[in-house]
Amino acid sequence: MTSAVLSPALVSGVTRSFARKRRIAMAVPAMILAYLIYAAVSFDIAGLMQRARFDNAAILLSDFWSHKTHVTRDNRSGALTVAIEGESKGTYPPGMLPDWVTVSGDVTTIDLGTGHVVTYDGAGARFVVPGYGTIDIRPVGGKPVLTAPEPIPDWISVAENKVSVKTPAGRFSYSRSKVETFRYEPGWELWFFTLDSPLYGKSFAELAALAVSSNRIDEARSNLALMASEFWTNRMWRHGDVAWAIFETILMAFLGTMTGALVALPLSFLAARNFMPLGPLRFATRRVFDFIRGVDGLIWTIILSRAFGPGPMTGAIAIAITDTGSFGKMFSEALENIDEKQVDGIRSTGANSFQRARFGVLPQITPVLLSQVLYYLESNTRSATVIGAIVGGGIGLLLTQAILTQKDWEEVAYYMVLIVLMVMAMDSLSGWLRRRLIKGDGA
Amino acid sequence: MVDIAFGPEPGKRPDPASTGEVYLDMVRRKRMYGGILGVLFVALLVSGWMLADHRNAGGFWNGLPQTLDFPAEVLSEAWANRANLPGLLWTYIPSLIETLNIAAVATLIGALMAAGLSLLATRGLARWPRLIPVFRRTMDALRAVPEIVIALVLIFVIGGGPVPAVIAIALHTGGALGKLFSEVAENADLKPVEGLSSVGATWGQKMWLGVIPQVAPNWVSYALLRLEINVRASAILGFVGEGGIGHDLKLAMQWGQGRYDEVVAIFLLLFLAIVAIDRVSDSYRHRLVKGTL
C-alpha cells in the first residue's frame, strides 16, 4: 500500500468538512429543541397542566375495569333502589337483591366488605368504618346531622345539606332527599346476561350443564339458542348492535377502497406519460387527482353527508373519492415504470390497445397495485372509524357517543378494545392476502 | 405441483407431447379461477353497496342530484360576500398554523419515538435481542389504536386544545413509522457497526455513528410522507375533537347559512396548505431518495 500524501490543502479541507459536519450535528438537535419549545409555549402547556383534571383520569381508569352498584333510599318515600351504575336497565327488579344487601322491615344493611357496614333505618343511617368508628347521621329538621369520632378526617366532607364519605370499600352520601351508597366491584357488569334474564347469575358450569340438558327454560327454543339470543340482545352492552357497527365500519372501508381502486385504474392510464400522448389531457387528469387529494377526506365527508344523509354509504363514498385521488397518482406512477418490451411483444402480434393493456401492462402492475390496495384497505379501516364518527355510522359513532356522555367508561374501554382488535385483524388479513396473492404461496 | 397442474390421475394427465394443448388447458383453468374470483368480488361489492345504501338515511339515487346543492349554496353565498374573503383568510391563519404545528410536533415526537423503537426491534441491532418481540408488539399496538380514540379520552382528562391531538397523533405515528423505520434499518450495512464495536463503542454510539447516517435519508423521507398524512389527521381531529382549523370549520358549519364565507375561507386555507405541503415534501423526498441532497 502506498501511503497517502497528506498535503496541507487536503488536511485543511478534511478538517473544514469535519467541522461543518459537526456543526450540522449540533444544529439539527438544537433546531428541533427550539421548535419544540416554541410549540410548548404556543400550545400553553403550563396552563394545560393547571387545567388538567387528574381526578377524571382516576375515574376513567377505575371505570375501565370495575363497575359500581348504587344502593339508594329515597328519604321522603322510603323506597329502596339497587341499580348497577345507577341505570334503569341495570336496576334490580323487586324481590331481587345482591347478596351483600339485606332488607328486613325498614332496616337495610349493606355489607361493603372488610368490616365496612352501612345501615339505613328509620332514624337515619349509620356507616361503620373499621379502625375509625361509627359515622352516624340523623336528619334534624330535614338537614343531615353528623355524629362521628372527633376529629373529623378529611375523607368525610360535611356541607350544610349533604354529608359524604369516601372509603376504599365504597362511597356513601346523605342528603335531604336521599341516602346513597356506592359499592365498587371489579369486572364489567352484566356482560353476558342482564338482571331480567333467566340466565343471570349462573356460573359457567351451570350454563354448560344447561346447554346440554333437555329441560328447556323457554319451551319455544333450546337452551343454547336462548343463551345466544339473551347474550346478543343484552340491553346493557348491546352486543348485537356493536357487532353490526363493527361490520358497518369494515364495510365502509372495503367498499371505499375497492371502488376507489376500480375508478382510479382506467383514469390512471390517462395520466401516464407512456399511454396518453395528449399532453393537455394528461395534465388535466393529474390535476384532477391532485385536487381530489388536496380537498381531503374531511371535506368530502362533510359535502357528501349533506347530500346523502348520515350512514355507512356516505362514509364509503367519501373514502372512495379520497382514495381515487391517491390511487390515481400511485397507479399512474406504476404505469410509467413498466417494462415496454412486453407491450411491444404483444403489439407485434397485432393486438389492439385494449388487448395490449390487458396482457402486456396489467400483469406487470398487478403486484404493485394489489399491495397498495391491500395496504389502503387496512389503513382505511382506521379512517372509517373516524369518518363514522362524522357521518354517523359504525363503531366510530358508538365510541364518540359513549365518550361524550362521560359516564359509561367501561363501554368506551370495550369499544376501544374492539377497534384495536378489528384493526389488527384487518392488518393481518391484508398481510396474509398480500403474501398469498403477490408472492403466490400456494395460490 | 404436477398433480395440481395436470390433475390427480396419472392416466388422465394430458399428453406432454402436445404442448400447445397443455398450455391452452392451463390458461383456461387459470382464467376460470380468475373468473370465479372476479364474479365473487363483484357480487360482494354490489351487495355491499346495496346494503350500505339500505342502511343510509338518504338513498343514493335521491342524494346524487343533491351532491352539488350544498357546494353551490356555500359558493354562491361566499361569492356574494367575496369582499370579506381576504380578511377572513387572514383571520384563520393562526388556526391553520396551530393545525400545522400539531402535525409537525406530533410527527417530530412520533419519529423520535419510532427511531428508538425501531432500533430496539431490529434483528442484529437491538440492544436487548430477547426483547425484540416486546418492542414489535408495542409498535403494532400503537399503530392499531386510531388517533381519535386517544384524542377523545385525553380531552376528557386534560381538557381541550391542541395537546390531546398532538399526543394522539404522535403515538400513532410512533407505531406506524416504527415499522417502516425498522424495515429500513434491517437492510443497513452492519460493517460500520462491527468497526465501531471493535474500538469499544457503546450501543448508543454504534447506532448514532454507524446506523443512523445510513438510514437517515430513507427515514426522513418516510417522516415527510407521514407529515403529509398527519396534517390531514390533525384537521380531522380538530373537527371531531378540539383545536386548530378543523374546530373552526365545525363551528362555522354548525352556524350554517350566514357564515358560509368563513367555511369557504377555511376550505381554501386547508386546501392550499395541504397541496403546498404535498408539493414541497414530494420534491424533497425525490431529492433525498435519489441522493442529490
Side-chain angles (χ1 to χ4, degrees):
Chain A
M1 257 190 82
T2 55
S3 61
V5 183
L6 289 178
S7 68
L10 182 66
V11 170
S12 76
V14 168
T15 320
R16 236 191 341 241
S17 92
F18 257 96
R20 199 176 134 253
K21 277 255 155 82
R22 202 163 283 161
R23 270 201 305 278
I24 289 176
M26 292 297 286
V28 168
M31 268 163 60
I32 292 178
L33 196 67
Y35 178 66
L36 287 180
I37 291 172
Y38 150 74
V41 172
S42 91
F43 291 166
D44 192 19
I45 300 272
L48 186 89
M49 292 317 276
Q50 287 164 4
R51 275 182 286 120
R53 298 183 49 198
F54 292 106
D55 49 334
N56 272 352
I59 296 174
L60 198 140
L61 284 178
S62 78
D63 247 27
F64 270 177
W65 58 272
S66 69
H67 67 278
K68 61 180 189 297
T69 311
H70 301 212
V71 182
T72 315
R73 186 184 69 179
D74 188 322
N75 282 340
R76 299 202 174 89
S77 67
L80 184 80
T81 338
V82 184
I84 290 172
E85 293 289 347
E87 290 182 52
S88 63
K89 51 195 177 192
T91 306
Y92 282 83
M96 184 176 174
L97 285 175
D99 54 6
W100 42 273
V101 178
T102 44
V103 179
S104 61
D106 63 350
V107 180
T108 307
T109 314
I110 303 155
D111 182 3
L112 294 178
T114 61
H116 296 74
V117 177
V118 179
T119 315
Y120 304 164
D121 57 24
R126 259 161 293 116
F127 188 177
V128 180
V129 180
Y132 171 68
T134 305
I135 302 160
D136 185 278
I137 296 161
R138 282 160 205 282
V140 175
K143 287 178 184 169
V145 174
L146 171 80
T147 321
E150 296 290 338
I152 303 286
D154 58 359
W155 43 268
I156 301 181
S157 79
V158 186
E160 195 185 346
N161 287 318
K162 188 168 180 177
V163 177
S164 28
V165 182
K166 274 188 206 175
T167 70
R171 291 174 181 220
F172 168 86
S173 74
Y174 197 114
S175 67
R176 279 170 94 105
S177 58
K178 63 183 179 183
V179 51
E180 234 178 349
T181 307
F182 296 164
R183 182 185 152 120
Y184 290 87
E185 284 164 292
W188 288 348
E189 77 289 354
L190 311 177
W191 202 78
F192 289 101
F193 306 113
T194 43
L195 293 166
D196 53 359
S197 157
L199 299 165
Y200 171 74
K202 298 219 185 315
S203 68
F204 279 107
E206 282 174 299
L207 287 174
L210 267 178
V212 292
S213 108
S214 55
N215 291 336
R216 291 187 168 184
I217 297 176
D218 180 2
E219 280 305 318
R221 54 202 161 157
S222 75
N223 285 338
L224 212 54
L226 178 72
M227 275 179 215
S229 99
E230 287 288 316
F231 175 72
W232 199 244
T233 56
N234 183 329
R235 277 191 304 150
M236 199 80 171
W237 289 90
R238 301 184 297 159
H239 296 295
D241 294 347
V242 172
W244 180 252
I246 294 255
F247 170 73
E248 230 173 51
T249 304
I250 296 179
L251 183 72
M252 274 195 259
F254 171 75
L255 292 178
T257 315
M258 296 307 163
T259 310
L262 287 180
V263 174
L265 185 58
L267 288 180
S268 63
F269 279 88
L270 297 183
R273 195 174 298 128
N274 44 353
F275 290 95
M276 176 40 68
L278 223 61
L281 188 58
R282 190 171 71 221
F283 183 82
T285 321
R286 286 193 180 180
R287 290 297 86 78
V288 168
F289 288 153
D290 282 352
F291 175 76
I292 289 175
R293 282 182 319 127
V295 170
D296 193 41
L298 170 67
I299 294 169
W300 288 120
T301 310
I302 294 171
I303 293 176
L304 290 169
S305 57
R306 289 292 167 122
F308 297 111
M313 187 185 65
T314 313
I317 299 178
I319 294 177
I321 292 184
T322 321
D323 279 7
T324 304
S326 318
F327 282 145
K329 180 168 184 250
M330 289 188 299
F331 290 176
S332 63
E333 279 167 9
L335 282 174
E336 285 180 359
N337 289 329
I338 60 158
D339 187 354
E340 287 290 339
K341 289 195 190 104
Q342 299 187 26
V343 187
D344 285 341
I346 304 275
R347 187 182 284 128
S348 71
T349 64
N352 63 25
S353 64
F354 176 78
Q355 285 166 330
R356 284 202 299 275
R358 163 70 184 80
F359 295 103
V361 181
L362 274 188
Q364 286 192 58
I365 60 165
T366 307
V368 184
L369 225 123
L370 269 180
S371 130
Q372 276 162 352
V373 167
L374 288 172
Y375 171 73
Y376 265 72
L377 179 64
E378 185 251 317
S379 123
N380 277 339
T381 318
R382 242 188 321 263
S383 320
T385 318
V386 185
I387 288 180
I390 302 172
V391 300
I395 190 84
L397 181 70
L398 290 186
L399 180 79
T400 38
Q401 280 176 341
I403 289 179
L404 291 179
T405 57
Q406 305 205 339
K407 194 162 69 74
D408 294 325
W409 289 107
E410 63 277 5
E411 279 174 28
V412 174
Y414 177 44
Y415 298 149
M416 276 166 59
V417 169
L418 284 178
I419 290 174
V420 171
L421 288 180
M422 173 182 79
V423 174
M424 282 184 157
M426 290 302 278
D427 192 9
S428 35
L429 176 75
S430 89
W432 179 78
L433 276 175
R434 225 183 343 238
R435 276 193 304 280
R436 284 217 33 129
L437 294 176
I438 294 166
K439 288 192 184 152
D441 295 353
Chain B
M1 276 311 285
V2 178
D3 283 357
I4 297 168
F6 300 113
E9 295 292 318
K12 288 183 186 168
R13 273 183 202 155
D15 181 12
S18 56
T19 40
E21 203 175 301
V22 174
Y23 173 76
L24 281 179
D25 191 46
M26 280 173 71
V27 166
R28 249 178 251 126
R29 196 187 296 271
K30 201 177 155 198
R31 289 225 182 117
M32 189 180 72
Y33 288 148
I36 291 174
L37 271 180
V39 167
L40 267 179
F41 177 76
V42 169
L44 215 59
L45 209 57
V46 169
S47 61
W49 276 115
M50 279 159 70
L51 182 66
D53 187 26
H54 176 69
R55 294 279 299 175
N56 221 55
F60 180 72
W61 299 114
N62 296 332
L64 199 58
Q66 299 166 16
T67 326
L68 293 177
D69 288 3
F70 177 61
E73 192 186 338
V74 169
L75 286 177
S76 65
E77 189 184 312
W79 184 248
N81 298 332
R82 62 188 174 278
N84 296 342
L85 211 53
L88 284 173
L89 284 177
W90 189 246
T91 322
Y92 285 110
I93 290 274
S95 315
L96 180 70
I97 291 178
E98 188 175 63
T99 294
L100 297 182
N101 270 336
I102 291 173
V105 172
T107 312
L108 206 54
I109 297 175
L112 293 176
M113 230 165 67
L117 276 174
S118 67
L119 289 179
L120 290 171
T122 308
R123 243 174 267 119
L125 298 177
R127 179 85 176 77
W128 304 283
R130 278 161 184 277
L131 293 182
I132 287 178
V134 177
F135 290 115
R136 293 224 161 152
R137 290 296 90 75
T138 312
M139 291 194 295
D140 285 351
L142 286 177
R143 221 151 25 94
V145 183
E147 290 114 343
I148 187 177
V149 174
I150 306 175
L152 287 176
V153 169
L154 282 176
I155 286 173
F156 177 67
V157 176
I158 58 179
V163 177
V166 169
I167 299 176
I169 299 178
L171 286 179
H172 180 75
T173 304
L177 279 181
K179 188 185 175 204
L180 296 170
F181 280 11
S182 116
E183 277 165 15
V184 175
E186 258 172 21
N187 295 325
D189 186 2
L190 288 182
K191 283 189 192 122
V193 181
E194 281 163 19
L196 283 164
S197 28
S198 75
V199 296
T202 62
W203 182 77
Q205 287 169 332
K206 278 190 270 185
M207 294 301 122
W208 182 247
L209 301 168
V211 180
I212 302 277
Q214 292 186 55
V215 295
N218 278 317
W219 279 16
V220 172
S221 151
Y222 278 133
L224 281 176
L225 194 64
R226 196 70 218 177
L227 178 68
E228 294 175 28
I229 299 172
N230 283 349
V231 171
R232 293 147 197 257
S234 142
I236 293 192
L237 277 189
F239 193 85
V240 181
E242 267 176 69
I245 201 157
H247 192 59
D248 290 334
L249 179 60
K250 184 167 83 172
L251 293 182
M253 294 277 304
Q254 276 170 349
W255 189 273
Q257 248 165 359
R259 283 176 69 175
Y260 280 152
D261 44 351
E262 294 180 21
V263 173
V264 168
I266 296 172
F267 271 19
L268 261 180
L269 276 179
L270 202 55
F271 177 73
L272 292 177
I274 287 176
V275 170
I277 287 177
D278 279 13
R279 274 293 159 83
V280 171
S281 117
D282 221 27
S283 67
Y284 197 71
R285 274 189 295 126
H286 266 283
R287 281 203 288 165
L288 269 178
V289 176
K290 285 188 183 151
T292 50
L293 194 85

